[in-house]
Amino acid sequence: MDVRSDFALELQLGHVGERAQDLCVKEALGAVFAHMKGGRGRNRLGGKTLITLLAKLRSAAAAADEWEVVRLVQDSLDYAEGRILRPDFEERYRRFRRLSEPPSLHQDHLARMFSTILQSFVQICTDYLDQRPEAQVDEVLAYVEALGRDARYMQQPHERTGRYRILRGTAEMAAWLEQVFRERIDIEDPEQAARRIVMSPDSLAVLATDQDGQLLFRAAEVHRRRQDLKALRKVVQDPGASEHDLQRALDGQHWIFGGQFASQALQRRLVPGDEVDIPLIRGDGALHVVELKRSMSLHGSLVKRHRGRWVPTAEVHDAVNQAVNYLVGLDEHRIRIKKDLGIETRRASALVLIGHPSLQPDVAEEDINDVLRTLNTHINRVDVMTYKELVDNAERALSGWK
């Protein structure tokens, strides 16, 4: 992290000295000045030492109840660490202008800068609308806002010095990397590390050779899975989603069903006249059939009252019978399937995904899950589960992933 130590900071700290009363505060301020003036010639020293000394000065002022000094020192810290730009810093302390510059210089600078920003804003909006003439106002503003976030990571190409470029999506990548660093890697300054990586043209090569690179690539996979799971939950909760919509959201996501599945088979028509929704391959090479029914658009209920207890409805039993028929067909054609497709169906099993607890708000979700789990213990090779339980299980698995 670059620490700024210049004449503007020195003048502002001189103003701090005029306000300080406590002896400990003055001694801490003297240590700051001694460090800054320890450079060769007119150079002022900065670095982490300056930040540490300013923090000690702020603590001494707080202990002495000199809160005006605390505020001023906080401004000094923000300026030294780059959170306050020099024009803004000098504007806050008007005495700088009297010492070094004509009174109108900052005003003119601000006016020119603001004018340039507005012209750039107009040009950005014009270019966007030229490409998308049907765009609405909120779409244009969202585009400009995203571009503003990416502008924090502006880059200067080596082949064109003095020119800068803004890469779209950089801010999102930096935010994700920072989150990974904070949660999974012990790094002193996660934000700065993320910024350095996304602004490096060779960032992927750096990650590949870094000792923590493999962790980051695995974290990237988790990030992708979270996005896929978010999209799946949206479809699962959609009252208008069809079985085909659910199949598209689950296709290629075998990890969602648990770690015992190694892949998803490409061939769905294994038995003449039958086409399974999602054919999964277990770790032992055996087939596992996923039968998809509707979620929020299911026409019937999942459970009903019978002799004072909740039991599965005919809707659930019909789905189970369909899965059983698939397994019977697979058993009858297991030799041909093994020979032609190399898929083992002798020990095949099935999962029925059906419904959502929100379909029956008068029944507790736990009761619905208990009914289906009880059913699972009394049928062979077939399990029944709601879509919500499937997604919840996958989310818990991701939360504990390392």
Side-chain angles (χ1 to χ4, degrees):
M1 177 179 62
D2 293 332
V3 177
R4 185 161 41 192
S5 179
D6 55 18
F7 182 59
L9 179 61
E10 185 177 330
L11 288 177
Q12 196 264 357
L13 289 172
H15 183 60
V16 172
E18 296 173 2
R19 299 297 184 91
Q21 301 294 326
D22 185 82
L23 179 60
C24 292
V25 176
K26 292 182 177 180
E27 289 179 352
L29 180 60
V32 173
F33 277 126
H35 172 74
M36 290 180 63
K37 297 178 180 179
R40 294 181 179 179
R42 301 178 62 182
N43 294 331
R44 297 173 181 82
L45 293 180
K48 290 186 177 180
T49 301
L50 176 60
I51 300 302
T52 301
L53 291 173
L54 286 172
K56 290 181 178 179
L57 172 59
R58 181 181 56 189
S59 298
D65 289 332
E66 295 189 9
W67 299 108
E68 176 66 14
V69 173
V70 171
R71 183 186 66 80
L72 294 173
V73 175
Q74 184 61 55
D75 282 350
S76 301
L77 273 166
D78 290 341
Y79 177 68
E81 293 182 312
R83 288 189 292 271
I84 299 179
L85 299 178
R86 178 168 181 169
D88 185 38
F89 188 66
E90 295 185 345
E91 185 67 24
R92 293 187 187 187
Y93 300 94
R94 293 175 177 270
R95 64 194 177 284
F96 296 159
R97 295 190 301 187
R98 294 194 299 269
L99 289 172
S100 58
E101 298 172 347
S104 62
L105 184 58
H106 286 309
Q107 180 178 343
D108 291 343
H109 172 74
L110 181 62
R112 289 194 301 271
M113 181 174 65
F114 191 57
S115 176
T116 302
I117 291 173
L118 290 178
Q119 292 176 24
S120 299
F121 176 81
V122 171
Q123 187 61 52
I124 289 171
C125 295
T126 301
D127 293 343
Y128 185 83
L129 289 172
D130 286 343
Q131 299 177 11
R132 302 171 180 82
E134 74 287 352
Q136 301 297 316
V137 174
D138 56 344
E139 296 179 71
V140 178
L141 293 178
Y143 172 78
V144 175
E145 182 182 7
L147 195 62
R149 291 192 298 267
D150 291 333
R152 294 178 56 214
Y153 305 95
M154 186 180 297
Q155 299 182 13
Q156 177 178 270
H158 295 295
E159 66 275 10
R160 298 186 68 188
T161 57
R163 302 282 295 182
Y164 298 87
R165 64 186 177 189
I166 299 175
L167 300 181
R168 297 301 313 281
T170 309
E172 182 179 359
M173 175 60 72
W176 171 75
L177 279 174
E178 182 181 349
Q179 180 183 0
V180 171
F181 287 145
R182 291 186 187 280
E183 294 179 356
R184 301 180 182 276
I185 305 176
D186 187 14
I187 289 183
E188 181 178 348
D189 193 339
E191 182 180 4
Q192 184 68 18
R195 182 184 182 89
R196 184 177 65 253
I197 288 176
V198 299
M199 294 182 68
S200 168
D202 302 317
S203 57
L204 289 179
V206 172
L207 290 178
T209 57
D210 186 78
Q211 62 179 353
D212 294 315
Q214 291 301 315
L215 177 59
L216 286 178
F217 285 127
R218 292 175 65 195
E221 176 65 15
V222 171
H223 176 69
R224 184 189 65 80
R225 290 183 178 186
R226 289 191 187 281
Q227 296 300 108
D228 292 339
L229 202 56
K230 182 179 179 181
L232 173 61
R233 185 179 287 278
K234 184 176 180 180
V235 177
V236 165
Q237 295 175 342
D238 182 3
S242 64
E243 292 177 13
H244 181 64
D245 295 328
L246 293 162
Q247 183 176 352
R248 283 191 302 176
L250 284 165
D251 192 41
Q253 311 295 335
H254 68 271
W255 66 270
I256 290 178
F257 298 93
Q260 69 269 34
F261 301 108
S263 63
Q264 177 176 328
L266 297 177
Q267 183 66 35
R268 293 173 54 203
R269 188 175 294 276
L270 304 173
V271 177
D274 287 336
E275 186 172 270
V276 300
D277 293 329
I278 299 180
L280 300 178
I281 305 299
R282 298 201 307 257
D284 61 1
L287 180 70
H288 184 82
V289 175
V290 180
E291 173 61 22
L292 304 179
K293 296 302 179 183
R294 292 175 180 264
S295 178
M296 287 296 294
S297 61
L298 189 69
H299 298 307
S301 58
L302 291 168
V303 297
K304 64 180 181 179
R305 295 295 279 182
H306 179 70
R307 295 182 180 180
R309 300 176 64 88
W310 291 111
V311 297
T313 63
E315 194 90 20
V316 174
H317 285 296
D318 288 346
V320 170
N321 289 334
Q322 184 176 352
V324 170
N325 288 335
Y326 283 152
L327 295 180
V328 171
L330 292 171
D331 286 341
E332 293 174 347
H333 295 82
R334 63 180 182 274
I335 296 177
R336 179 189 59 79
I337 295 173
K338 178 67 173 178
K339 179 182 178 181
D340 295 346
L341 304 176
I343 298 177
E344 176 60 65
T345 62
R346 182 188 296 272
R347 302 182 307 278
S349 54
L351 170 68
V352 173
L353 285 176
I354 183 170
H356 194 286
S358 297
L359 288 169
Q360 293 182 264
D362 57 323
V363 184
E365 179 180 341
E366 183 178 352
D367 290 338
I368 294 176
N369 291 339
D370 285 344
V371 169
L372 298 183
R373 289 167 188 163
T374 301
L375 174 65
N376 293 338
T377 62
H378 289 81
I379 53 180
N380 190 25
R381 298 170 65 186
V382 179
D383 287 332
V384 184
M385 181 185 296
T386 66
Y387 283 93
K388 184 176 186 302
E389 186 173 10
L390 174 74
V391 175
D392 288 347
N393 290 346
E395 285 190 346
R396 281 191 291 271
L398 279 183
S399 297
W401 185 89
K402 297 295 184 183

